[in-house]
Amino acid sequence: MTLNIPFDNSYARLPAGFYTRQDPAPVKAPSLIAWNAALAAELGITGTPDAATFAGNATPHGAAPLAQLYAGHQFGNYNPQLGDGRALLLGEVIDTTGTRRDIQLKGSGPTPYSRNGDGRAALGPVLREYVVSEAMHALGIPTTRALAATRTGQEVIRERPLPGAVLTRVASSHIRVGTFQVFAARQQYADLQTLFDYTVDRHYPGVTSPTDLLRAVATRQAQLIAAWLSVGFIHGVMNTDNCSLSGETIDYGPCAFMDTYNPETKFSSIDRMGRYSYAAQADIIVWNMAQLATALVPLMPDDDKAIAEFTEILHGMGDTIRAEWLTRFAAKIGISDPTPEDAPLIGELLVLMDGQQADFTNTFRALGDGTARDQFTDPTAFDAWEAQWKPRLDAQAQAPVALMQRTNPAIIPRNHRIEQMIAAAEAGDDSLFHRLNAAYANPYDAPEADADLRRPPLPDERVRATFCGT
């Protein structure tokens, strides 16, 4: 049955300066690794998937391939022109819920924004993003999704020759903070207004002013960061060009999940100063929203009023993040009706976990299983904390165990398993890739057969650095 994707491409109808139209570059020998049939059904896609379409060798009917323009701050330094250097937006569909969603090829060849890069992706980063983004979706965290992964049959040259691949990614949109930045910096205010109108219409119906847009985006981002923190997720490269206006997790490069709890944990090989470490993410998202605010100022009739209103929103983000954090972490320890007085109890547990090198995921899961004491090198230290915790649980009506079991995953994409998967796939064995996808699809109910995937890494399995793959 012929593949049918019901495209309706609104971004391609924006002014030509928003993008560059081009087709993906064909590859040598495409072969399909994975096809997300459930997601395809959500998108209204019918028919049989073929490797040629999702490797870029055949452009599907109705597509309007284009590389999007944007700028961005990378590790705090402004780059005036970035854009899709190795990705192409094939087009958009209206899914079965009536939501417009992008379908993008990542690793589809060079574009005018490639900055001398080859525009390709290695197999490892493609499989990492596929597995982790789908796991994040299963965890209930807003994220881009993976529709397909395809081998190209040709190598890419990074530190060494690596097998190439293309990821087909689905997003609510690929509008970024950096998309606003590029038009503001160029003083293309008519295009900036067009982008504002398009973003509001697509993501925030009812918003009428830049102030309202900033407030809405900041709220979504505060909720997203709290969700990341609650599962020990570290994005690794929170540049403004990797910050989506829709409030989704986007651009999985050197991402990773913590094993042993340490708030200063970082994995990205290029984050030498810890700018995007686990605990820093709450501050960085405020910084990113400040860059969005700066880009929105030209759309306000009064600069002084804009600065005052935007500053108030940005200053309030800390309270919003803390409130979201409290709700999520209180639930992780079984408290359904948290008050600010519960924050020290949560904080004391985290300090204890840090000092005792307790595993983040397994410790919280063990609270609901009644085995958390075993996660600590000095169990008596946990006993002292438990003596404060139990009376707090007894003071509420809701049963805490069920709450903890549905908020604390039993299984996450552990870094050493991801690296094992990549090594196996590079050698031609995709079985671990498929096993991990299946296991992470039900993170709150891991069967005994997947007990090995819950185990923290042994000393010689620890992953200390992850890489973007560009």
Side-chain angles (χ1 to χ4, degrees):
M1 182 179 176
T2 303
L3 183 71
N4 176 56
I5 305 176
F7 286 110
D8 180 55
N9 305 319
S10 64
Y11 205 88
R13 296 192 285 269
L14 292 174
F18 280 62
Y19 51 78
T20 298
R21 291 184 182 270
Q22 74 171 70
D23 290 327
V27 301
K28 183 178 179 180
S31 61
L32 201 62
I33 304 168
W35 170 247
N36 193 334
L39 177 57
E42 287 180 26
L43 300 175
I45 298 174
T46 58
T48 305
D50 62 280
T53 296
F54 297 107
N57 286 29
T59 302
H61 176 73
L66 57 87
Q68 293 177 305
L69 171 69
Y70 47 85
H73 278 87
Q74 298 181 306
F75 287 88
N77 299 308
Y78 184 67
N79 190 321
Q81 180 172 298
L82 295 170
D84 289 332
R86 56 176 179 147
L88 288 173
L89 176 65
L90 277 183
E92 304 149 30
V93 298
I94 309 298
D95 70 13
T96 54
T97 69
T99 302
R100 181 177 295 275
R101 297 167 84 178
D102 285 359
I103 300 177
Q104 182 195 68
L105 297 183
K106 190 173 181 180
S108 52
T111 77
Y113 314 119
S114 295
R115 293 174 289 165
N116 299 317
D118 61 12
R120 293 299 185 184
L123 177 64
V126 164
L127 297 187
R128 177 189 294 273
E129 178 159 350
Y130 193 111
V131 168
V132 177
S133 63
E134 285 302 294
M136 290 284 273
H137 171 70
L139 287 165
I141 297 173
T143 178
T144 59
R145 301 284 307 277
L147 179 62
T150 310
R151 278 187 171 83
T152 63
Q154 59 196 50
E155 292 183 333
V156 298
I157 305 301
R158 298 298 182 256
E159 293 80 9
R160 57 185 174 88
L162 295 168
V166 177
L167 176 74
T168 304
R169 180 166 75 180
V170 174
S172 293
S173 82
H174 286 83
I175 303 168
R176 310 153 187 269
V177 172
T179 317
F180 280 82
Q181 287 182 285
V182 71
F183 295 123
R186 293 180 177 184
Q187 299 183 5
Q188 295 176 210
Y189 298 142
D191 287 334
L192 186 65
Q193 182 66 53
T194 297
L195 178 63
F196 170 84
D197 294 338
Y198 179 85
T199 303
V200 166
D201 181 65
R202 184 160 178 176
H203 293 302
Y204 299 97
V207 161
T208 58
S209 70
T211 301
D212 289 342
L213 178 63
L214 179 64
R215 183 178 291 108
V217 176
T219 297
R220 285 195 189 178
Q221 290 293 341
Q223 294 168 342
L224 180 64
I225 296 303
W228 288 1
L229 297 177
S230 73
V231 295
F233 177 75
I234 303 167
H235 184 278
V237 61
M238 288 176 65
N239 297 328
T240 58
D241 56 295
N242 296 335
C243 189
S244 169
L245 266 286
S246 69
E248 290 179 322
T249 312
I250 192 171
D251 286 335
Y252 292 85
C255 65
F257 286 77
M258 278 195 302
D259 294 306
T260 299
Y261 176 71
N262 180 337
E264 297 181 2
T265 300
K266 66 179 181 67
F267 290 96
S268 171
S269 62
I270 57 176
D271 189 7
R272 296 179 180 87
M273 304 302 293
R275 177 181 174 88
Y276 299 141
S277 66
Y278 171 82
Q281 294 176 129
D283 291 331
I284 287 298
I285 198 58
V286 178
W287 193 92
N288 284 355
M289 291 298 96
Q291 310 320 306
L292 176 61
T294 300
L296 290 172
V297 167
L299 298 181
M300 295 286 282
D302 184 327
D303 286 0
D304 290 339
K305 182 179 180 182
I307 292 170
E309 291 179 352
F310 292 173
T311 299
E312 181 181 2
I313 292 169
L314 296 171
H315 284 177
M317 275 194 75
D319 289 340
T320 303
I321 294 171
R322 282 187 287 272
E324 293 288 339
W325 178 93
L326 178 60
T327 297
R328 286 184 173 271
F329 274 82
K332 289 176 76 66
I333 66 170
I335 297 174
S336 58
D337 55 347
T339 69
E341 287 69 35
D342 292 312
L345 182 64
I346 301 166
E348 288 171 18
L349 175 61
L350 292 172
V351 169
L352 184 62
M353 290 167 60
D354 184 16
Q356 301 247 332
Q357 297 188 315
D359 184 84
F360 183 86
T361 300
N362 288 353
T363 298
F364 279 107
R365 182 69 178 191
L367 288 175
D369 297 340
T371 60
R373 191 174 190 270
D374 299 337
Q375 297 291 323
F376 296 86
T377 54
D378 177 11
T380 60
F382 173 78
D383 294 341
W385 180 82
E386 186 180 41
Q388 304 175 63
W389 174 50
K390 287 297 180 70
R392 176 62 181 91
L393 297 185
D394 293 340
Q396 66 179 20
Q398 182 171 329
V401 173
L403 178 61
M404 287 186 280
Q405 288 180 337
R406 67 173 181 264
T407 54
N408 292 317
I411 190 170
I412 57 162
R414 291 190 181 269
N415 310 317
H416 65 297
R417 296 301 187 193
I418 296 291
E419 293 300 324
Q420 291 167 3
M421 171 199 74
I422 291 171
E426 289 177 346
D429 181 1
D430 296 333
S431 59
L432 184 54
F433 166 75
H434 292 297
R435 183 191 175 201
L436 294 185
N437 274 320
Y440 300 150
N442 297 290
Y444 299 99
D445 186 28
E448 188 60 31
D450 290 329
D452 60 316
L453 301 181
R454 299 175 61 174
R455 175 181 61 78
L458 299 173
D460 63 348
E461 294 176 321
R462 288 176 183 161
V463 175
R464 303 187 185 280
T466 51
F467 301 86
C468 284
T470 53

